Amino acid sequence: AVWMDATAYPNCVLFTGDTLVNERKRRALAIEPMSCASDGFNHPEWGLPRLNPGDVWTGSWGVSARVLSETGS
């Protein structure tokens, strides 16, 4: 499970292994919390946080994992 502060991280990007060779394809998923959507530098209207000297930006996110049984539960 991935959780994130929705105010600081209103977006996330999911990465798959779909471009890998078949035996490695879809073996993992990576999740990256993001403070703005991809390509936000080219779209300031999307709300990319801008920090001036002395400004502070904070956010929190985390991951929790559990081992599934062979039946998937």
Side-chain angles (χ1 to χ4, degrees), residues 17-34:
D18 286 358
T19 59
L20 300 175
V21 294
N22 282 338
E23 59 270 7
R24 300 198 66 182
K25 196 176 281 190
R26 296 196 175 212
R27 300 211 35 180
L29 179 67
I31 303 171
E32 179 183 357
M34 296 182 62

Side-chain angles (χ1 to χ4, degrees), residues 3-73:
W3 59 268
M4 63 193 82
D5 173 354
T7 302
Y9 300 107
N11 301 278
C12 65
V13 173
L14 302 175
F15 299 94
T16 68
D18 286 358
T19 59
L20 300 175
V21 294
N22 282 338
E23 59 270 7
R24 300 198 66 182
K25 196 176 281 190
R26 296 196 175 212
R27 300 211 35 180
L29 179 67
I31 303 171
E32 179 183 357
M34 296 182 62
S35 60
C36 189
S38 298
D39 202 28
F41 289 118
N42 293 314
H43 296 277
E45 71 275 12
W46 291 355
L48 179 67
R50 181 183 175 128
L51 298 178
N52 293 310
D55 287 352
V56 175
W57 181 91
T58 61
S60 59
W61 62 273
V63 177
S64 61
R66 65 186 171 103
V67 176
L68 297 177
S69 69
E70 289 185 23
T71 62
S73 58

